[in-house]
Every structure is written in structure tokens, then in C-alpha cells.
Amino acid sequence: RPRGPRPDVTAGLPISAYTDDQLDDLVAWIRSDGVALTDDELAAALRAELGITRRGARIDAAVDAAVRRAR
């Protein structure tokens, strides 16, 4: 089933610019199509939606926390 409207979260900002609520909203939106994703796939989808191409401890921690909260 198709996803609804994407949450109003600007892509391309530093990870510290996003609130937990914004990350949670994006994760919920990604999951809203009902497609089963592994945690790694969900994290990759969140990174893609945020335009994040780098890896780093702070980025990984924020993304992983958002995925954990969704489970």
C-alpha cells in the first residue's frame, strides 16, 4: 500500500539538526507502506530520506536509536 504524505522534514541537514520526533516521524512514514524491513534496511532508508551519505558515530547513534524506538 502506498505511503501517505512525507513528513515535513528537510533533508540534507546535519544529524544534530533533527529532533527525535522528526526522526521518529520519518521512520513511521517509511514503515507505513507495510513492507517488512530489517533494522539495517530501515536505517538505510532513513539515511536516504535524510540525504545522509556519510557514516559516523553520531549519525549511526541517532539513526540506530530511531530504528530501536520504532521496534
Side-chain angles (χ1 to χ4, degrees):
R1 98 185 161 224
R3 294 177 184 157
R6 185 184 184 280
D8 187 22
V9 178
T10 304
L13 301 175
I15 195 68
S16 60
Y18 299 106
T19 66
D20 287 350
D21 287 343
Q22 288 175 310
L23 297 177
D24 293 348
D25 287 348
L26 275 177
V27 168
W29 175 76
I30 292 166
R31 296 180 72 205
S32 69
D33 61 8
V35 175
L37 299 174
T38 66
D39 286 354
D40 289 340
E41 291 169 333
L42 186 55
L46 179 57
R47 283 186 181 91
E49 285 298 325
L50 293 172
I52 294 173
T53 57
R54 297 183 1 218
R55 298 293 297 256
R58 209 174 26 193
I59 293 168
D60 288 347
V63 169
D64 292 345
V67 170
R68 275 193 313 275
R69 287 191 302 271
R71 300 288 177 205

